[in-house]
Amino acid sequence: MKSSRVKLSDFGLTEVEQMAIEQTGVSSDNDLVRMMEEYKFVTRDYIIAVYNALYKDDAYIASIIPEEGHDEKFSYIEKKYDVVIRLLESNNKHVCIYSPMFRDIAIAAIEIELGDCETTFFKATVYDYECKKHPGERFEYNSELLFKRILIEAIKYHATDIHFDVKHVNMEPRYTVSYRQDAELIEMELFTLTEKDNQNIVSKLIENNTRAISLDLLTSAGVVSNASNVLGDGKVELRVSANKILDGYHCVIRIQQKETFNFTINRLGFAQRVVNDLQAIVSKRSGITLITGAIRTGKNTTAFALANEIVKAPVKIASYESPIEVLMPFSQMDYFGNENALLNMVRLAKKQDINVAFLNEIPNKEVAFAVMDLVNSSIHVITTMHMDRLWHLPYKLREYYGDEYKNIISQINGVFNQKMFGICCDKCRKEILIEGAKNKNKIEFLRSRNYTKIFKSEGCSDCNFTGKVAGENQPYVEHLLFSEELKSQLLACSQPYEMELIIKKAVREKKQTLEDYMDGSLRNGILSLDALDTII
């Protein structure tokens, strides 16, 4: 048997996967091979195939240990020589002996013990060997490696978040891990977690990778913190939110992959009319520009694309973010989720000769009024808000500013409201009559736009039965620049609902609604019928 050390690269692991295993400190060949299989970096069959290819000149090949064929009469020999023995069903005199890869055994002594039995020796993967030697026994995971493996899997599927949850089924707690892909929450079935796994993963993530301590999980506020460079490649930052719940911990981890962002507004994939309105915003040196929509709709992507255009001008730009998602060519300030720190930073901006300020969100009324103060000081503020449709803007502003919400309306440059839609899987999509929508509102909408047919995805193995192409999301934008005439009409209103009607009419007359921009994609099958769920 060759004694050369296992090379993880021989098993097709990525650099990040190799680092995750190496950082555990294990060094023996058997431990490395066991980790690859136990933590599902590669399959058992694949390990066996690689082993047999690398050691094809050795006397004994690797094979999977069968479930059947165990005989109690061999238990003494199995224990004495630390092997697993199986009888061939077709020949009770033919005995197969299995030992872990990279471990020598006393072959001659075993053959003497077995007497007149015919023997064949095999090598088994370490994890297979231990599972068959101790059937039903559950081995304890290394919680740090387990979390890294889960994170790597989530990134592989372009996930934006990981969720550790406790769900009670028939009065018993069940510990799950899920990931959010294309706005849908999908349960990860790689591992079966226990209460101990749940607690160890969350507490050690907090203790070893953030500024918080695990005891903070027990407080009413829980933990909100950043975890940097967990995978060791410097590319991923995590925003961790966790707290103690019944029978375990609830933890949501937002995945941010750090990179330098160089998109310009021409590369966002928007219709030319959207690009034209964004270009008009680039030259603004005062007022407020709002990029709105739900979580994970690409608002910050649009904001950074604007920043890449504005930075070409001789102006001073600063951003206020939590966390800093991408690296940009101007001053970036991370307020680490501390809203008081953000408030102080925004107030200080007036004294720092800033021309354009980016906020990744307005979290509360205090910050909203500080932003209004910046706008009134002739600083162009570009920020995001969570909002469903563009014409809901008056209600959102009144939430922040109360009776003073008209003051900010008079300063608005424009609003760009985004929604993110999954691309229809072309392997399982099919064209159906609109009556097949089985939803009165959808059918009426489609008829009003002269549809007779629409595409619908049923889900297949290629798209993981979601009906959508993984990671291939497309944002659509409804938008409106606020002219002086429009502002005058809005300021003449006494109630938000009156403003809503005016804004809705203006967007529809310009054919700049989400429905207008989605129309072509619905007709040619880029979007499926399900895309209408969020706009109807």
Coordinates of all heavy atoms in Angstrom, one line a residue, residues 41-112:
F41 N -19.0 16.5 0.8 CA -18.3 17.3 -0.2 C -18.3 16.5 -1.5 O -18.3 17.0 -2.6 CB -16.9 17.6 0.2 CG -16.8 18.6 1.3 CD1 -16.6 18.3 2.6 CD2 -16.9 20.0 1.0 CE1 -16.5 19.2 3.6 CE2 -16.8 21.0 2.0 CZ -16.6 20.6 3.3
V42 N -18.1 15.1 -1.4 CA -18.2 14.2 -2.5 C -19.0 13.0 -2.1 O -19.2 12.7 -0.9 CB -16.8 13.8 -3.0 CG1 -16.1 15.0 -3.7 CG2 -16.0 13.2 -1.9
T43 N -19.4 12.2 -3.1 CA -20.2 11.0 -2.7 C -19.2 9.8 -2.4 O -18.1 9.8 -2.8 CB -21.1 10.6 -3.9 OG1 -20.3 10.2 -5.0 CG2 -22.0 11.7 -4.3
R44 N -19.8 8.8 -1.8 CA -19.0 7.6 -1.5 C -18.6 6.9 -2.8 O -17.4 6.5 -2.9 CB -19.9 6.6 -0.7 CG -19.3 5.3 -0.3 CD -20.2 4.6 0.6 NE -20.5 5.3 1.9 CZ -21.4 5.0 2.7 NH1 -22.2 4.0 2.5 NH2 -21.6 5.8 3.8
D45 N -19.4 6.8 -3.8 CA -19.0 6.2 -5.0 C -17.9 6.9 -5.7 O -17.0 6.3 -6.3 CB -20.2 6.2 -6.0 CG -21.3 5.1 -5.6 OD1 -20.9 4.2 -4.9 OD2 -22.4 5.3 -6.0
Y46 N -17.9 8.2 -5.6 CA -16.8 9.0 -6.2 C -15.5 8.8 -5.5 O -14.4 8.7 -6.1 CB -17.2 10.5 -6.2 CG -16.2 11.4 -6.9 CD1 -16.1 11.4 -8.3 CD2 -15.3 12.2 -6.2 CE1 -15.2 12.2 -9.0 CE2 -14.4 13.0 -6.9 CZ -14.4 13.0 -8.3 OH -13.5 13.8 -8.9
I47 N -15.5 8.7 -4.1 CA -14.3 8.5 -3.4 C -13.7 7.1 -3.8 O -12.5 7.0 -4.0 CB -14.5 8.5 -1.9 CG1 -14.9 9.9 -1.4 CG2 -13.3 8.0 -1.1 CD1 -15.3 10.0 0.0
I48 N -14.6 6.1 -3.9 CA -14.1 4.8 -4.3 C -13.5 4.8 -5.7 O -12.4 4.2 -5.9 CB -15.3 3.8 -4.2 CG1 -15.6 3.5 -2.7 CG2 -14.9 2.5 -4.9 CD1 -16.8 2.7 -2.5
A49 N -14.1 5.5 -6.6 CA -13.6 5.6 -8.0 C -12.3 6.2 -8.0 O -11.3 5.8 -8.7 CB -14.6 6.3 -8.9
V50 N -12.1 7.3 -7.3 CA -10.8 8.0 -7.3 C -9.7 7.2 -6.6 O -8.6 7.1 -7.1 CB -10.9 9.4 -6.5 CG1 -9.6 10.0 -6.3 CG2 -11.9 10.3 -7.3
Y51 N -10.1 6.5 -5.5 CA -9.1 5.7 -4.8 C -8.6 4.5 -5.7 O -7.4 4.3 -5.8 CB -9.8 5.1 -3.6 CG -8.9 4.2 -2.7 CD1 -8.1 4.7 -1.7 CD2 -8.8 2.8 -3.0 CE1 -7.3 3.9 -1.0 CE2 -8.0 2.0 -2.3 CZ -7.2 2.5 -1.3 OH -6.4 1.7 -0.5
N52 N -9.6 3.9 -6.4 CA -9.2 2.8 -7.2 C -8.3 3.2 -8.4 O -7.5 2.5 -8.9 CB -10.4 2.0 -7.7 CG -11.1 1.2 -6.6 OD1 -10.4 0.8 -5.7 ND2 -12.4 1.0 -6.7
A53 N -8.6 4.4 -8.9 CA -7.8 5.0 -10.0 C -6.4 5.3 -9.5 O -5.4 5.1 -10.2 CB -8.5 6.2 -10.6
L54 N -6.3 5.9 -8.3 CA -5.0 6.3 -7.8 C -4.1 5.1 -7.4 O -2.9 5.1 -7.5 CB -5.2 7.3 -6.6 CG -5.7 8.7 -7.0 CD1 -6.0 9.4 -5.7 CD2 -4.7 9.4 -7.8
Y55 N -4.8 4.1 -6.8 CA -4.1 2.9 -6.3 C -4.4 1.7 -7.0 O -4.6 0.6 -6.5 CB -4.4 2.8 -4.8 CG -4.0 4.0 -4.0 CD1 -5.0 4.9 -3.6 CD2 -2.7 4.2 -3.6 CE1 -4.6 6.1 -2.9 CE2 -2.3 5.4 -2.9 CZ -3.3 6.3 -2.6 OH -2.9 7.4 -1.9
K56 N -4.5 1.8 -8.4 CA -4.9 0.6 -9.2 C -3.9 -0.5 -9.1 O -4.2 -1.7 -9.5 CB -5.1 1.1 -10.6 CG -3.9 1.8 -11.3 CD -4.3 2.2 -12.7 CE -3.2 3.0 -13.4 NZ -3.0 4.3 -12.8
D57 N -2.6 -0.2 -8.7 CA -1.6 -1.3 -8.6 C -1.6 -2.0 -7.3 O -0.9 -3.0 -7.1 CB -0.2 -0.7 -8.9 CG -0.1 -0.1 -10.3 OD1 -0.8 -0.6 -11.2 OD2 0.7 0.9 -10.4
D58 N -2.4 -1.6 -6.4 CA -2.5 -2.2 -5.1 C -3.3 -3.6 -5.2 O -4.1 -3.8 -6.1 CB -3.1 -1.3 -4.0 CG -2.2 -0.2 -3.7 OD1 -1.0 -0.3 -3.9 OD2 -2.8 0.9 -3.2
A59 N -3.1 -4.4 -4.2 CA -3.7 -5.7 -4.2 C -5.2 -5.7 -3.9 O -5.9 -6.5 -4.4 CB -3.0 -6.6 -3.1
Y60 N -5.7 -4.6 -3.2 CA -7.0 -4.6 -2.8 C -7.8 -3.4 -3.3 O -7.3 -2.2 -3.1 CB -7.1 -4.7 -1.2 CG -6.3 -5.9 -0.7 CD1 -5.1 -5.6 0.0 CD2 -6.7 -7.2 -0.9 CE1 -4.4 -6.7 0.5 CE2 -6.0 -8.2 -0.5 CZ -4.8 -8.0 0.2 OH -4.1 -9.0 0.7
I61 N -8.9 -3.6 -3.9 CA -9.7 -2.4 -4.4 C -10.6 -2.0 -3.4 O -10.9 -2.6 -2.4 CB -10.4 -2.8 -5.7 CG1 -11.5 -3.9 -5.4 CG2 -9.5 -3.3 -6.8 CD1 -12.5 -4.1 -6.5
A62 N -11.2 -0.8 -3.6 CA -12.1 -0.2 -2.7 C -13.5 -0.6 -3.1 O -13.8 -0.7 -4.3 CB -12.0 1.3 -2.6
S63 N -14.4 -0.8 -2.2 CA -15.8 -1.1 -2.5 C -16.7 -0.7 -1.4 O -16.3 -0.4 -0.3 CB -15.9 -2.6 -2.7 OG -17.2 -3.0 -3.1
I64 N -18.0 -0.6 -1.7 CA -19.0 -0.3 -0.6 C -19.3 -1.6 0.2 O -19.5 -2.6 -0.4 CB -20.3 0.3 -1.3 CG1 -20.0 1.6 -1.9 CG2 -21.4 0.4 -0.3 CD1 -21.1 2.2 -2.7
I65 N -19.5 -1.4 1.5 CA -19.8 -2.6 2.3 C -21.3 -2.8 2.2 O -22.1 -2.0 2.5 CB -19.4 -2.3 3.8 CG1 -18.0 -1.9 3.9 CG2 -19.8 -3.5 4.7 CD1 -17.6 -1.5 5.3
P66 N -21.7 -4.1 1.8 CA -23.1 -4.4 1.7 C -23.8 -4.4 3.1 O -23.2 -4.7 4.1 CB -23.1 -5.7 1.0 CG -21.8 -6.3 1.3 CD -20.8 -5.2 1.4
E67 N -25.1 -4.1 3.1 CA -25.9 -4.2 4.3 C -26.1 -5.6 4.8 O -26.0 -5.9 6.0 CB -27.3 -3.5 4.1 CG -27.2 -2.0 3.7 CD -27.0 -1.2 4.9 OE1 -27.0 -1.7 6.1 OE2 -26.7 0.0 4.7
E68 N -26.3 -6.5 3.8 CA -26.6 -7.9 4.1 C -25.3 -8.7 4.3 O -24.2 -8.3 3.9 CB -27.5 -8.5 3.1 CG -26.8 -8.6 1.7 CD -26.8 -7.3 0.9 OE1 -27.5 -6.3 1.4 OE2 -26.2 -7.3 -0.2
G69 N -25.5 -9.9 4.9 CA -24.3 -10.8 5.0 C -23.6 -10.8 6.3 O -22.7 -11.5 6.5
H70 N -24.2 -10.1 7.3 CA -23.6 -10.1 8.6 C -23.9 -11.4 9.3 O -25.0 -11.9 9.3 CB -24.1 -8.9 9.4 CG -23.6 -8.9 10.9 ND1 -22.3 -8.7 11.2 CD2 -24.2 -9.2 12.0 CE1 -22.1 -8.8 12.5 NE2 -23.3 -9.0 13.0
D71 N -22.9 -11.9 10.0 CA -23.1 -13.2 10.8 C -22.4 -13.0 12.2 O -21.2 -12.7 12.2 CB -22.5 -14.4 10.0 CG -22.9 -15.7 10.6 OD1 -22.9 -15.8 11.9 OD2 -23.3 -16.6 9.8
E72 N -23.2 -13.3 13.2 CA -22.7 -13.0 14.6 C -21.5 -13.9 14.9 O -20.7 -13.6 15.8 CB -23.8 -13.3 15.6 CG -24.9 -12.3 15.7 CD -24.4 -11.0 16.2 OE1 -23.4 -10.9 16.9 OE2 -25.0 -9.9 15.9
K73 N -21.3 -15.0 14.2 CA -20.2 -15.9 14.5 C -18.8 -15.2 14.2 O -17.8 -15.7 14.7 CB -20.3 -17.2 13.8 CG -20.1 -17.1 12.3 CD -20.3 -18.5 11.6 CE -20.2 -18.5 10.1 NZ -20.4 -19.8 9.5
F74 N -18.8 -14.2 13.4 CA -17.6 -13.5 13.1 C -17.4 -12.3 14.0 O -16.4 -11.5 13.8 CB -17.6 -13.0 11.6 CG -17.7 -14.2 10.6 CD1 -18.7 -14.3 9.8 CD2 -16.7 -15.1 10.6 CE1 -18.8 -15.4 8.9 CE2 -16.7 -16.2 9.7 CZ -17.8 -16.3 8.8
S75 N -18.3 -12.0 14.9 CA -18.2 -10.8 15.7 C -16.8 -10.7 16.5 O -16.2 -9.6 16.6 CB -19.3 -10.7 16.7 OG -20.5 -10.6 16.0
Y76 N -16.4 -11.9 17.0 CA -15.1 -11.9 17.7 C -14.0 -11.4 16.9 O -13.1 -10.6 17.3 CB -14.9 -13.3 18.3 CG -13.5 -13.5 18.8 CD1 -13.1 -12.9 20.1 CD2 -12.5 -14.2 18.1 CE1 -11.8 -13.1 20.6 CE2 -11.2 -14.3 18.6 CZ -10.9 -13.8 19.8 OH -9.6 -13.9 20.3
I77 N -13.9 -12.0 15.6 CA -12.8 -11.6 14.7 C -12.9 -10.1 14.3 O -11.9 -9.4 14.2 CB -12.9 -12.5 13.5 CG1 -12.7 -14.0 13.9 CG2 -11.8 -12.1 12.5 CD1 -12.8 -15.0 12.8
E78 N -14.1 -9.7 14.1 CA -14.4 -8.3 13.7 C -13.8 -7.3 14.8 O -13.1 -6.3 14.5 CB -15.8 -8.0 13.5 CG -16.4 -8.6 12.2 CD -17.9 -8.3 12.0 OE1 -18.6 -8.4 13.0 OE2 -18.2 -7.9 10.9
K79 N -14.1 -7.7 16.0 CA -13.7 -6.8 17.1 C -12.2 -6.9 17.3 O -11.5 -5.9 17.6 CB -14.4 -7.2 18.4 CG -14.1 -6.3 19.6 CD -15.0 -6.7 20.8 CE -14.7 -5.8 22.0 NZ -15.5 -6.1 23.2
K80 N -11.6 -8.1 17.2 CA -10.2 -8.3 17.5 C -9.3 -7.6 16.5 O -8.3 -7.0 16.8 CB -9.9 -9.8 17.5 CG -8.4 -10.2 17.8 CD -8.2 -11.7 17.8 CE -6.8 -12.0 18.1 NZ -6.6 -13.5 18.1
Y81 N -9.7 -7.7 15.2 CA -8.9 -7.1 14.1 C -9.4 -5.8 13.6 O -8.9 -5.3 12.6 CB -8.7 -8.1 13.0 CG -8.0 -9.4 13.5 CD1 -8.7 -10.5 13.8 CD2 -6.6 -9.4 13.6 CE1 -8.0 -11.7 14.3 CE2 -5.9 -10.5 14.0 CZ -6.6 -11.6 14.3 OH -5.9 -12.7 14.8
D82 N -10.5 -5.3 14.1 CA -11.1 -4.1 13.7 C -11.4 -4.1 12.2 O -11.0 -3.3 11.4 CB -10.2 -2.9 14.1 CG -11.0 -1.6 14.1 OD1 -12.3 -1.6 14.0 OD2 -10.4 -0.5 14.2
V83 N -12.2 -5.0 11.8 CA -12.7 -5.2 10.4 C -14.2 -5.4 10.4 O -14.8 -5.6 11.5 CB -12.0 -6.3 9.7 CG1 -10.5 -6.0 9.6 CG2 -12.2 -7.7 10.4
V84 N -14.8 -5.4 9.2 CA -16.2 -5.7 9.0 C -16.2 -6.9 8.1 O -15.5 -6.9 7.1 CB -17.0 -4.6 8.4 CG1 -18.4 -5.1 8.0 CG2 -17.1 -3.5 9.4
I85 N -16.9 -8.0 8.5 CA -17.0 -9.2 7.7 C -18.4 -9.4 7.1 O -19.4 -9.3 7.9 CB -16.5 -10.4 8.5 CG1 -15.1 -10.2 9.0 CG2 -16.7 -11.7 7.7 CD1 -14.6 -11.3 9.9
R86 N -18.5 -9.8 5.9 CA -19.7 -10.2 5.2 C -19.6 -11.5 4.5 O -18.6 -11.8 3.9 CB -20.1 -9.1 4.2 CG -20.5 -7.7 4.8 CD -21.8 -7.8 5.6 NE -22.2 -6.5 6.0 CZ -22.0 -6.0 7.2 NH1 -21.4 -6.7 8.1 NH2 -22.5 -4.8 7.6
L87 N -20.7 -12.3 4.6 CA -20.7 -13.6 3.9 C -21.4 -13.3 2.6 O -22.4 -12.6 2.5 CB -21.6 -14.6 4.7 CG -20.9 -15.4 5.8 CD1 -21.9 -16.2 6.6 CD2 -19.8 -16.3 5.2
L88 N -20.9 -14.0 1.5 CA -21.6 -13.9 0.2 C -22.8 -14.8 0.3 O -22.7 -16.0 0.8 CB -20.7 -14.4 -0.9 CG -19.6 -13.4 -1.3 CD1 -18.8 -14.0 -2.5 CD2 -20.1 -12.1 -1.7
E89 N -24.0 -14.3 -0.1 CA -25.2 -15.1 0.0 C -25.1 -16.4 -0.8 O -25.6 -17.5 -0.4 CB -26.4 -14.3 -0.5 CG -26.8 -13.2 0.4 CD -28.0 -12.4 -0.1 OE1 -28.7 -12.9 -1.0 OE2 -28.3 -11.4 0.5
S90 N -24.4 -16.4 -1.9 CA -24.4 -17.5 -2.8 C -23.4 -18.6 -2.3 O -23.3 -19.7 -2.8 CB -24.0 -17.1 -4.2 OG -22.7 -16.4 -4.2
N91 N -22.5 -18.2 -1.4 CA -21.5 -19.1 -0.9 C -21.1 -18.8 0.5 O -20.4 -17.9 0.8 CB -20.3 -19.0 -1.8 CG -19.2 -20.1 -1.5 OD1 -19.3 -20.8 -0.5 ND2 -18.2 -20.1 -2.3
N92 N -21.6 -19.6 1.4 CA -21.4 -19.3 2.9 C -20.0 -19.6 3.3 O -19.6 -19.4 4.5 CB -22.4 -20.2 3.7 CG -23.8 -19.6 3.7 OD1 -24.0 -18.4 3.5 ND2 -24.7 -20.5 3.9
K93 N -19.2 -20.1 2.4 CA -17.8 -20.3 2.7 C -16.9 -19.2 2.2 O -15.7 -19.1 2.4 CB -17.3 -21.6 2.1 CG -17.7 -22.9 2.8 CD -17.1 -23.0 4.2 CE -17.4 -24.3 4.9 NZ -16.8 -24.4 6.2
H94 N -17.5 -18.2 1.4 CA -16.8 -17.1 0.9 C -17.0 -15.9 1.8 O -18.1 -15.4 1.9 CB -17.2 -16.8 -0.6 CG -16.3 -15.9 -1.3 ND1 -16.3 -15.8 -2.6 CD2 -15.4 -15.0 -0.8 CE1 -15.4 -14.9 -3.0 NE2 -14.8 -14.4 -1.9
V95 N -15.9 -15.4 2.4 CA -16.0 -14.3 3.3 C -15.3 -13.1 2.7 O -14.2 -13.1 2.2 CB -15.4 -14.7 4.7 CG1 -15.4 -13.5 5.6 CG2 -16.1 -15.9 5.3
C96 N -16.0 -11.9 2.8 CA -15.4 -10.6 2.4 C -15.1 -9.8 3.6 O -15.9 -9.6 4.5 CB -16.4 -9.8 1.5 SG -16.9 -10.7 0.0
I97 N -13.8 -9.4 3.6 CA -13.3 -8.6 4.8 C -13.1 -7.2 4.4 O -12.3 -7.0 3.4 CB -12.0 -9.2 5.4 CG1 -12.3 -10.7 5.8 CG2 -11.5 -8.4 6.5 CD1 -11.9 -11.7 4.9
Y98 N -13.6 -6.2 5.1 CA -13.5 -4.8 4.8 C -12.7 -4.1 5.9 O -13.1 -4.2 7.1 CB -14.9 -4.2 4.6 CG -15.7 -4.8 3.5 CD1 -16.5 -5.9 3.7 CD2 -15.7 -4.2 2.2 CE1 -17.2 -6.5 2.7 CE2 -16.5 -4.7 1.2 CZ -17.2 -5.9 1.4 OH -18.0 -6.4 0.4
S99 N -11.8 -3.3 5.5 CA -11.1 -2.4 6.4 C -11.0 -1.0 5.8 O -11.2 -0.8 4.6 CB -9.6 -2.9 6.7 OG -8.9 -2.9 5.5
P100 N -10.8 0.0 6.7 CA -10.8 1.4 6.1 C -9.6 1.6 5.2 O -8.5 1.0 5.3 CB -10.6 2.2 7.4 CG -11.1 1.4 8.5 CD -10.7 0.0 8.1
M101 N -9.7 2.5 4.3 CA -8.7 2.9 3.4 C -7.5 3.4 4.2 O -7.6 4.0 5.3 CB -9.1 4.1 2.5 CG -10.2 3.7 1.5 SD -10.8 5.2 0.6 CE -11.9 4.4 -0.6
F102 N -6.3 3.2 3.7 CA -5.0 3.7 4.2 C -4.7 3.1 5.6 O -3.9 3.7 6.4 CB -5.0 5.2 4.3 CG -5.4 5.9 3.1 CD1 -6.6 6.5 2.9 CD2 -4.6 5.9 2.0 CE1 -7.0 7.1 1.7 CE2 -4.9 6.5 0.8 CZ -6.1 7.1 0.6
R103 N -5.3 1.9 6.0 CA -5.0 1.3 7.2 C -4.6 -0.2 7.0 O -5.3 -0.9 6.3 CB -6.2 1.3 8.2 CG -5.7 1.1 9.6 CD -6.9 1.0 10.6 NE -7.5 -0.3 10.5 CZ -8.7 -0.6 11.0 NH1 -9.4 0.4 11.6 NH2 -9.2 -1.8 10.9
D104 N -3.4 -0.5 7.4 CA -3.0 -1.9 7.3 C -3.7 -2.8 8.3 O -4.0 -2.4 9.4 CB -1.5 -1.9 7.4 CG -0.7 -1.2 6.3 OD1 -1.2 -1.2 5.2 OD2 0.3 -0.6 6.6
I105 N -3.9 -4.1 7.9 CA -4.5 -5.0 8.8 C -3.7 -6.3 8.7 O -2.9 -6.6 7.7 CB -6.0 -5.3 8.4 CG1 -6.1 -5.8 7.0 CG2 -6.8 -4.1 8.6 CD1 -7.5 -6.3 6.6
A106 N -3.9 -7.2 9.7 CA -3.1 -8.5 9.8 C -3.9 -9.5 8.9 O -4.6 -10.4 9.4 CB -3.0 -8.9 11.2
I107 N -3.6 -9.5 7.6 CA -4.3 -10.4 6.7 C -4.1 -11.8 7.0 O -5.0 -12.6 7.1 CB -3.9 -10.0 5.2 CG1 -4.3 -8.6 4.9 CG2 -4.4 -11.1 4.3 CD1 -3.8 -8.1 3.5
A108 N -2.8 -12.2 7.2 CA -2.5 -13.6 7.5 C -3.2 -14.1 8.7 O -3.7 -15.3 8.8 CB -1.0 -13.8 7.5
A109 N -3.2 -13.3 9.8 CA -3.8 -13.7 11.0 C -5.3 -13.9 10.9 O -5.8 -14.9 11.5 CB -3.5 -12.7 12.1
I110 N -5.9 -13.0 10.1 CA -7.4 -13.1 9.9 C -7.7 -14.4 9.2 O -8.7 -15.1 9.5 CB -7.9 -11.9 9.2 CG1 -7.8 -10.6 10.1 CG2 -9.4 -12.1 8.8 CD1 -8.1 -9.3 9.4
E111 N -6.9 -14.7 8.1 CA -7.1 -15.9 7.3 C -7.0 -17.2 8.2 O -7.8 -18.1 8.0 CB -6.2 -15.9 6.2 CG -6.5 -14.9 5.1 CD -5.5 -14.9 3.9 OE1 -4.3 -15.2 4.2 OE2 -6.0 -14.6 2.8
I112 N -6.0 -17.2 9.1 CA -5.9 -18.3 10.0 C -7.1 -18.5 10.9 O -7.6 -19.6 11.1 CB -4.6 -18.2 10.9 CG1 -3.4 -18.3 10.0 CG2 -4.6 -19.2 12.0 CD1 -2.1 -18.0 10.7

